[in-house]
Amino acid sequence: MIKRIATSILLIFLVFRLGGQGYLDAKLLNKGRVDIPFSYENNLIVINVTFNKIFPLKFLFDTGAEHTILTRRQITDILAVNYTRKFTLFGADLSTELTAYLAQGISLKMGNIEMNNRNILVLEEDYFNFDEFSGVDIQGIIGADIFRRFVVQINYKRKIISLYPRSRFKEPSKNYVKYPVEIYKSRPYIKVPIKAPNDSIVQVKLLMDSGSSLPLIIYPETDSSLSVPQNVIPAQLGIGLGGYLEGVIGRVQYMKIAESELIDVITSFQNLLPSTDTIALNNRNGIIGNKSLQHFHVIIDYVRQELYLRPNTGGKKPKFKFDKSGLFLVASGKDLNQFKVASVVPNSPADLAGLRKDDNLKRIGGLPCGLMSLSGIQRKFRKKEGKKYQIVYEREGKKYKTVLILQKII
């Protein structure tokens, strides 16, 4: 299924700085390294957070976000939290004005680390709709204001984030490749070579964004060599604050990281608006997300601006599988197990099967959709070409059957 991923803070320009917070609000419940387990859901890093010592919530761990954000205002309303300031921020379309509030004195506990007296941002409305577009019930984002004074390890295989005080961190073994990393507004940027569609090798500057489940996003207009390949499909690439991210999806021939070549990388090509301030984007050419980063053991030293990467693929070249149905679905319902067609790629298998926008899927291959998850359906639609599924769907109150035959799209 074509994934319109919830890419957190992908193109958000906050017109304020939270400021005013020192670094003495973090209490490590043990003295050394702190391990925070996470679940890896739909290529998103999701951690359990105890909010204000009461509410158990799920937050994204997001290296691409500068600030910590609560997307469900009703939680702070229930706690009678006072909002000290009201802010305007611009959404993913860079023009829509949205509203957020500053909440102070918030406590956040994650694993064996407790953060007290935090300033966080509370959105007036849940502009992200993470649950709908990712199939995961997420209430907020843990941004770099929480972890930027630590050395941060992300172990995708063990599903553990480790935070080290800088004084206790030892440089890892020679199995790691050491990179300089630029930390700008608490967000990490790395430069890597990619092979562009015109066969030239281009050094691109990418935001390392663990809040994005896409492998790679490229802004073609930031470099004349970054042309869009011929074989692409139109798509809504994701959703950010207050808007959809439009573009096309294709493949980059390779991207080299930590002496490893990632081949045929699924790449989203996003056109920036003419009014976009590339300086505000820190002159980056795009974003590298979890589907690429997950092939490495990642260590970010925010203080010394150093990055360590070690391939975790056992010498195998990572494969980037893509949807073979042409469907994009959104999840709804209490258990996020109801699935509606949000769009269909023209001339795709789903289009040829007669599926249309707003159809509701009821059964796939004989299995009721109520027993499935969004990520489970996505895995089905990435299987080998020629795989057939009988689909039962509902349209305007009537049920229909069709057969969908998977085929390579890009």
Side-chain angles (χ1 to χ4, degrees):
M1 143 197 352
I2 304 305
K3 292 193 292 182
R4 196 165 33 173
I5 307 299
T7 50
S8 59
I9 318 299
L10 190 58
L11 283 177
I12 298 173
F13 296 92
L14 304 184
V15 293
F16 63 94
R17 293 295 297 248
L18 293 186
Q21 280 190 136
Y23 289 140
L24 299 178
D25 55 2
K27 179 183 179 183
L28 303 184
L29 300 187
N30 59 31
K31 297 291 184 180
R33 183 183 80 182
V34 174
D35 290 336
I36 303 172
F38 66 84
S39 57
Y40 198 51
E41 304 183 47
N42 221 345
N43 300 302
L44 295 170
I45 296 175
V46 181
I47 60 178
N48 294 321
V49 175
T50 302
F51 189 88
N52 258 18
K53 303 181 180 181
I54 298 175
F55 284 104
L57 304 179
K58 292 184 181 293
F59 277 49
L60 284 186
F61 181 83
D62 192 351
T63 59
E66 186 178 357
H67 303 294
T68 293
I69 297 174
L70 179 70
T71 61
R72 306 283 177 86
R73 181 183 168 183
Q74 60 265 38
I75 293 170
T76 44
D77 284 349
I78 290 171
L79 294 173
V81 171
N82 291 322
Y83 305 113
T84 57
R85 294 175 64 187
K86 181 178 179 180
F87 299 105
T88 298
L89 50 94
F90 294 105
D93 59 3
L94 304 180
S95 59
T96 304
E97 291 190 1
L98 309 171
T99 301
Y101 302 90
L102 177 64
Q104 296 180 306
I106 301 298
S107 168
L108 303 171
K109 185 177 181 295
M110 304 161 285
N112 286 325
I113 186 169
E114 189 174 305
M115 299 279 188
N116 297 307
N117 196 31
R118 300 301 305 178
N119 293 347
I120 70 166
L121 194 65
V122 180
L123 301 184
E124 184 173 58
E125 300 176 25
D126 185 1
Y127 303 113
F128 282 113
N129 294 317
F130 282 125
D131 51 356
E132 181 178 346
F133 295 104
S134 69
V136 183
D137 191 17
I138 295 171
Q139 294 89 30
I141 295 167
I142 294 294
D145 59 317
I146 295 289
F147 52 80
R148 64 190 174 194
R149 70 186 179 96
F150 296 101
V151 176
V152 177
Q153 279 193 108
I154 305 175
N155 189 323
Y156 286 92
K157 281 201 164 184
R158 293 181 59 209
K159 297 182 178 60
I160 291 176
I161 297 163
S162 298
L163 304 181
Y164 294 84
R166 186 63 191 77
S167 61
R168 291 179 176 267
F169 176 71
K170 294 181 180 180
E171 188 168 314
S173 69
K174 294 180 181 179
N175 294 328
Y176 288 81
V177 177
K178 183 178 178 180
Y179 283 94
V181 63
E182 178 187 352
I183 305 297
Y184 177 75
K185 291 188 176 180
S186 302
R187 289 173 284 189
Y189 295 81
I190 185 176
K191 292 183 179 180
V192 299
I194 67 170
K195 191 171 186 179
N198 63 4
D199 288 334
S200 63
I201 305 300
V202 184
Q203 193 84 357
V204 292
K205 181 178 182 178
L206 303 174
L207 169 66
M208 296 179 64
D209 188 0
S210 66
S212 170
S213 59
L214 297 170
L216 181 64
I217 299 174
I218 291 293
Y219 311 139
E221 58 269 66
T222 59
D223 189 303
S224 59
S225 298
L226 298 175
S227 57
V228 177
Q230 291 185 347
N231 185 19
V232 296
I233 57 172
Q236 291 177 324
L237 306 178
I239 183 169
L241 278 182
Y244 297 113
L245 309 171
E246 305 287 345
V248 296
I249 298 177
R251 291 182 185 265
V252 159
Q253 293 182 53
Y254 80 79
M255 173 170 59
K256 189 171 184 180
I257 306 176
E259 301 179 356
S260 298
E261 287 188 355
L262 306 185
I263 306 296
D264 290 333
V265 182
I266 295 168
T267 304
S268 304
F269 295 87
Q270 181 190 348
N271 292 319
L272 300 176
L273 296 176
S275 58
T276 301
D277 183 357
T278 55
I279 295 177
L281 290 177
N282 195 26
N283 294 309
R284 69 177 184 248
N285 304 109
I287 289 172
I288 181 170
N290 282 325
K291 284 202 77 174
S292 291
L293 295 173
Q294 70 183 6
H295 300 296
F296 301 90
H297 189 88
V298 179
I299 302 176
I300 306 172
D301 186 339
Y302 281 82
V303 178
R304 294 191 178 179
Q305 300 199 45
E306 293 174 344
L307 171 69
Y308 303 88
L309 296 173
R310 185 188 71 196
N312 60 19
T313 55
K316 298 180 180 179
K317 290 189 179 296
K319 293 183 179 180
F320 291 86
K321 295 182 180 181
F322 190 68
D323 165 79
K324 297 183 179 73
S325 72
L327 278 176
F328 167 65
L329 303 177
V330 293
S332 62
K334 180 182 178 182
D335 297 316
L336 297 175
N337 60 356
Q338 299 174 29
F339 307 102
K340 183 171 75 173
V341 176
S343 64
V344 178
V345 174
N347 301 314
S348 68
D351 191 16
L352 297 176
L355 290 164
R356 298 290 179 263
K357 183 178 183 297
D358 294 329
D359 288 346
N360 294 295
L361 298 193
K362 294 299 181 181
R363 301 179 75 91
I364 300 175
L367 188 66
C369 290
L371 301 178
M372 302 184 194
S373 65
L374 187 61
S375 60
I377 295 177
Q378 289 172 346
R379 286 193 295 272
K380 285 180 177 292
F381 290 158
R382 287 196 298 266
K383 291 187 179 294
K384 64 182 181 179
E385 292 181 66
K387 175 73 175 178
K388 296 181 181 180
Y389 290 106
Q390 185 179 77
I391 306 291
V392 177
Y393 63 96
E394 185 179 76
R395 179 184 297 167
E396 296 178 351
K398 295 182 179 180
K399 288 185 178 180
Y400 301 88
K401 292 181 180 180
T402 187
V403 175
L404 188 151
I405 305 174
L406 301 184
Q407 295 294 333
K408 186 177 180 180
I409 299 177
I410 57 170

